Amino acid sequence: MSAPTWAYDALRMCRGLEQPGGGATAAEVQIFAYLACLMWVYDGRQASDWGYTFSATPAGSPYARDLAATTDRLRARGLIVDRLAPRYRPNAATAAHSANGRSRSPEPRVLGVSPVGASELAALATLQSCSLRERYLEAATSAARLMPLPAITDAVTYEPGLRQALRRTAKTELLDTDGVTVVREQFEVVIDALRTHENQGEDLLVPTVIWVGFLAETAETDRRAA
Amino acid sequence: MERPDLERLRTLVEGDYAAALERAYGAVGMERLRLLATALEAIHDQLAYELMQDGVTVFATIDPAQRPLDAGTTISATVARLPSLVRGRATIQVLGYDDLLVSTDDYDPFALAEEAVVYRFDGADHFVVDGALHEVINPTPFPSLWGTPTFFELEDALEFYRDSIALVCDCDILAEELWHDSDRRWILRNSPEDTMQHSLWRYLRQTLRGKNRVAEVDREQPVAGLRPPDIKITWSETTRIALIEVKWIGASVNKPGDGLSTFVPDESDANDGAQQLAHYLDANFRRAPNHQTKGYLVVFDARRRNLRFDTTELSYEDAMYYLMRDILWEPDHATRHDFADPLRCFMQPLRPAA
């Protein structure tokens, strides 16, 4: 696996999160890429075949150095562009609050795909190595159409491997043999339950949102049990 | 870590609306769901809940060429036009992200579902599946998953929480678990701080963008003998950290539940909380000078004037007396660069007598 897939992932994530969410922050790109990799594992593939590895930061967030470096390179080339984040997503319920004019710095930025980046994305999509990944990248980003984006990024931090890594202080490799065992056990339950129905299980968006919803619920359950 | 409840996961699969839609409509239905869901976010952005009080139906036909609404009473519109068109009820066909057909008539969602993926909002999110309304699991404090506001700035999120959530307890945790007398909201339950913290923690997890983690930190190691603040927010790839201390003022019920607690925290306790946070920030700075840490004090204000445990009537003036009375902060730590303006969240009684 080489750089084209890294560039494809970075561009595809930024493009996929432009519509729901108004653009992703660099940290959100990392989390959604991790979710895509997890769904690759859900599909029975090996995490080691994803093309780049993730480690857990001491704060318990997934981080792929290769993806981050590629994103930075694409920004430098103008394929990915920084945009001012919406102050907050316009919302009829929040409109009354937008007049509060305190300036806060630094202004948060989100990543978008420039026209040149869109052309590059289209070109990369024709490569077999990239098109193979589309199913997973699409499912991860489309989850943000069905759930609030921050709720997804929060839930993913409760993925068993990341929670395990939180107890350690140094950066930890994610989705190694040990790390993937618990998550596979959860995926088996989803696969098994979906398999009982006909006409079910083809669209990866379904297990993605179910499993993310489960992670979010687990966080609540654990809190109440504590 | 608790072992995840795999049976619960199986139950979630069985009850999931997206899974049910896939079973009912197949791959093309899932494509229509994607289009519909993207439009729902924009529609909820434009329409306040009171503009949808009589129910709104939104659908995307399986065959994009189908036009099931009566052309004579339907107009083509962008999402931005919706607030001027919709007054309580509407039926909306989604043709594209910002391309809608809008009728203010009420169509039968079950009939529409014969040829479309149909969403129905009537105070909660539903999809029509197999001739029935299938409720969408919504863990947020907001009526719709698609109407959940999101914030890039913590300050914006906290101000919205103060004005739209805490003020009217518009959150199941505050509404159902915080009050001794939840039918009137005069007296807090005993030791209410954990409930307030839970509500705020969950809200920030679901609405704050760009963060890495919103964690409750009551089990963290003390710094220089000081208990850490209640909620810690970290951001990836930066050294930025926010620490939120939760305090409360007002009357609570005693442990047996037969009188008011003798502990009635007031402005002086809120000031103690500010001092405690300031001391923690100082100690934390000495320990981790490379982090950009900022402290936030959130005070839940449940004060009522002239309240006794046996009070049966509370005038509007007494019930709302503290709405406009801010706490006098002495000293004012907000002059520090690392201490945000304290946020007082007044929680008003339910239906205060006018």
Side-chain angles (χ1 to χ4, degrees):
Chain A
M1 203 73 74
S2 58
T5 52
W6 303 347
Y8 183 71
D9 284 13
L11 288 164
R12 182 64 180 80
M13 283 293 156
C14 292
R15 169 49 63 88
L17 295 170
E18 275 178 341
Q19 195 61 268
T25 65
E28 288 166 347
V29 166
Q30 293 277 338
I31 294 175
F32 275 89
Y34 186 59
L35 177 58
C37 179
L38 284 160
M39 298 324 291
W40 168 277
V41 172
Y42 172 92
D43 236 7
R45 298 176 183 275
Q46 298 300 315
S48 52
D49 293 336
W50 180 246
Y52 48 86
T53 57
F54 290 89
S55 54
T57 64
S61 189
Y63 181 77
R65 192 186 53 197
D66 293 330
L67 181 65
T70 303
T71 304
D72 286 344
R73 267 200 305 278
L74 294 171
R75 285 162 89 171
R77 289 172 54 202
L79 278 71
I80 289 176
V81 288
D82 284 20
R83 294 180 183 144
L84 271 182
R87 174 79 187 279
Y88 35 71
R89 202 180 79 202
N91 178 309
T94 62
H97 298 264
S98 61
N100 175 348
R102 265 199 294 164
S103 70
R104 287 147 186 159
S105 58
E107 290 285 353
R109 302 258 166 181
V110 291
L111 304 176
V113 177
S114 69
V116 186
S119 301
E120 178 77 3
L121 178 62
L124 288 168
T126 63
L127 300 177
Q128 195 187 3
S129 58
C130 294
S131 62
L132 179 68
R133 308 166 75 78
E134 174 59 19
R135 172 174 160 81
Y136 311 99
L137 302 172
E138 195 280 333
T141 53
S142 282
R145 297 171 193 249
L146 303 189
M147 297 174 72
L149 192 149
I152 295 174
T153 57
D154 181 81
V156 171
T157 64
Y158 288 88
E159 181 269 321
L162 277 166
R163 296 193 73 187
Q164 219 162 32
L166 250 188
R167 297 196 206 96
R168 304 166 191 159
T169 49
K171 277 195 177 182
T172 314
E173 194 86 358
L174 292 167
L175 297 177
D176 56 11
T177 313
D178 288 344
V180 93
T181 304
V182 179
V183 89
R184 271 199 200 283
E185 192 181 28
Q186 296 175 3
F187 288 163
E188 282 304 320
V189 172
V190 178
I191 291 166
D192 190 49
L194 289 176
R195 214 182 263 150
T196 58
H197 300 279
E198 285 181 23
N199 199 21
Q200 183 86 79
E202 285 305 309
D203 195 316
L204 201 57
L205 178 58
V206 172
T208 304
V209 292
I210 290 172
W211 183 65
V212 169
F214 173 69
L215 293 179
E217 200 176 280
T218 302
E220 279 290 320
T221 312
D222 286 1
R223 187 201 189 274
R224 288 188 186 274
Chain B
M1 182 173 61
E2 294 286 317
R3 183 171 171 77
D5 182 355
L6 297 180
E7 260 324 295
R8 175 61 188 155
L9 180 53
R10 186 177 293 278
T11 307
L12 286 176
V13 176
E14 291 302 327
D16 184 70
Y17 73 94
L21 287 171
E22 188 187 26
R23 287 196 290 275
Y25 297 101
V28 65
M30 291 303 294
E31 285 313 308
R32 307 310 283 164
L33 173 63
R34 284 169 167 83
L35 170 67
L36 184 59
T38 308
L40 285 179
E41 186 177 301
I43 290 168
H44 275 287
D45 281 349
Q46 290 296 324
L47 292 177
Y49 294 121
E50 54 268 28
L51 294 179
M52 299 189 279
Q53 61 194 5
D54 300 322
V56 168
T57 299
V58 187
F59 66 95
T61 52
I62 298 299
D63 174 0
Q66 285 288 317
R67 297 289 182 271
L69 302 182
D70 179 0
T73 56
T74 301
I75 65 165
S76 175
T78 60
V79 171
R81 280 195 69 193
L82 288 176
S84 63
L85 298 173
V86 178
R87 289 287 176 274
R89 74 164 61 89
T91 305
I92 302 170
Q93 180 174 2
V94 178
L95 303 177
Y97 169 65
D98 198 20
D99 187 5
L100 310 173
L101 292 176
V102 182
S103 167
T104 53
D105 294 335
D106 215 1
Y107 282 76
D108 178 8
F110 304 108
L112 291 170
E114 289 174 14
E115 53 188 341
V117 176
V118 179
Y119 164 88
R120 173 82 180 162
F121 181 80
D122 54 6
D125 298 316
H126 297 89
F127 281 87
V128 179
V129 188
D130 296 331
L133 285 178
H134 192 115
E135 184 158 0
V136 177
I137 295 175
N138 178 3
T140 76
F142 303 96
S144 171
L145 266 185
W146 287 273
T148 302
T150 60
F151 306 90
F152 282 89
E153 297 276 9
L154 176 58
E155 286 85 349
D156 289 333
L158 290 173
E159 285 171 7
F160 186 81
Y161 181 85
R162 175 192 63 196
D163 299 339
S164 297
I165 305 288
L167 177 66
V168 289
C169 290
D170 195 6
C171 147
D172 57 330
I173 297 172
L174 294 182
E176 294 164 17
E177 299 175 27
L178 185 64
W179 301 93
H180 168 68
D181 50 358
S182 53
D183 57 336
R184 57 185 192 185
R185 297 178 188 162
W186 294 352
I187 302 170
L188 294 163
R189 74 166 174 76
N190 189 257
S191 304
E193 188 170 318
D194 184 65
T195 305
M196 296 159 176
Q197 185 178 316
H198 184 195
S199 165
L200 183 58
W201 170 71
R202 186 183 68 171
Y203 164 83
L204 291 172
R205 289 172 49 220
Q206 292 167 342
T207 61
L208 191 60
R209 295 274 314 264
K211 85 281 185 188
N212 169 35
R213 179 175 282 264
V214 181
E216 294 179 288
V217 291
D218 46 0
R219 284 175 218 90
E220 261 196 11
Q221 291 296 313
V223 171
L226 296 170
R227 186 186 66 81
D230 302 301
I231 296 173
K232 176 181 180 180
I233 303 174
T234 50
W235 282 263
S236 281
E237 300 173 46
T238 76
T239 55
R240 185 182 170 201
I241 292 173
L243 298 172
I244 302 176
E245 177 70 18
V246 174
K247 290 288 174 193
W248 60 281
I249 53 180
S252 63
V253 71
N254 62 15
K255 269 192 182 160
D258 57 4
L260 291 181
S261 169
T262 53
F263 175 55
V264 186
D266 55 15
E267 289 200 13
S268 133
D269 295 277
N271 270 288
D272 287 348
Q275 192 68 49
Q276 181 186 331
L277 179 58
H279 282 155
Y280 187 87
L281 290 170
D282 289 339
N284 188 61
F285 179 75
R286 286 192 293 274
R287 179 190 178 214
N290 295 329
H291 284 97
Q292 301 174 61
T293 304
K294 190 164 183 176
Y296 297 78
L297 180 68
V298 175
V299 181
F300 288 82
D301 185 350
R303 290 175 294 174
R304 314 285 181 245
R305 192 171 63 168
N306 296 324
L307 176 69
R308 296 189 315 272
F309 188 68
D310 57 2
T311 298
T312 54
E313 288 192 17
L314 200 61
S315 70
Y316 180 86
E317 288 70 27
D318 285 342
M320 302 294 282
Y321 181 77
Y322 292 99
L323 172 67
M324 304 296 285
R325 283 171 170 78
D326 266 332
I327 294 167
L328 182 61
W329 297 104
E330 291 181 314
D332 183 5
H333 295 288
T335 55
R336 296 168 56 137
H337 73 283
D338 61 351
F339 200 113
D341 288 339
L343 195 85
R344 183 179 67 98
C345 299
F346 181 76
M347 298 180 291
Q348 69 181 25
L350 208 58
R351 296 183 299 276

